[in-house]
Amino acid sequence: MAERYRKRPVVIEAERVDRDKLHRLSPEFRAEVHHDHCCAGPHVHTLEGPLAVSDGDWLIKGVKGEFYPCKPDIFEATYERVGSGDEPSDEDRIRDAMAEAQDHPGRIVTR
């Protein structure tokens, strides 16, 4: 009998691909999109080999720094937005609130 598993909550970085506007990707993501002779059209070199990048795909930077494309329907079913890279994460906010509470015992901090 098959066992059931839940995907661990990890935060990834991703950008939506528009093949006509690849120049709008961040430099880090744009550097991962290749146009060499192994494939017809833009693609990403992955551990499984080159994978084509199509309009509307999401380009994902995984937890180990690897890049891979993801179809929009799979992305929407798997991920939810948690903020931009410029915003503090929930973990950062919690850590900061706990540090502030330790620095000022007895004070109630609200934001």
Side-chain angles (χ1 to χ4, degrees):
M1 175 187 243
E3 295 183 42
R4 296 177 62 173
Y5 294 87
R6 179 186 330 265
K7 195 172 197 176
R8 290 188 174 138
V10 297
V11 176
I12 52 96
E13 293 179 46
E15 294 186 33
R16 193 101 190 238
V17 174
D18 179 341
R19 286 177 55 168
D20 294 331
K21 298 178 182 132
L22 291 174
H23 63 280
R24 292 189 180 173
L25 291 173
S26 69
E28 179 183 24
F29 280 68
R30 190 172 51 245
E32 295 299 321
V33 178
H34 301 278
H35 300 274
D36 50 35
H37 302 290
C38 76
C39 304
H43 58 280
V44 178
H45 292 284
T46 71
L47 297 175
E48 292 80 26
L51 291 176
V53 177
S54 302
D55 276 342
D57 284 357
W58 286 88
L59 188 55
I60 295 174
K61 180 180 180 183
V63 296
K64 292 186 175 182
E66 75 283 12
F67 285 83
Y68 55 94
C70 182
K71 294 298 179 196
D73 57 335
I74 302 298
F75 187 86
E76 297 299 325
T78 308
Y79 299 99
E80 63 183 352
R81 187 175 187 277
V82 296
S84 72
D86 298 333
E87 299 170 1
S89 67
D90 289 340
E91 293 85 6
D92 291 338
R93 287 187 187 105
I94 291 168
R95 185 184 58 247
D96 292 346
M98 290 177 69
E100 191 167 336
Q102 286 177 347
D103 291 344
H104 305 285
R107 185 197 306 175
I108 298 174
V109 179
T110 60
R111 298 199 202 285

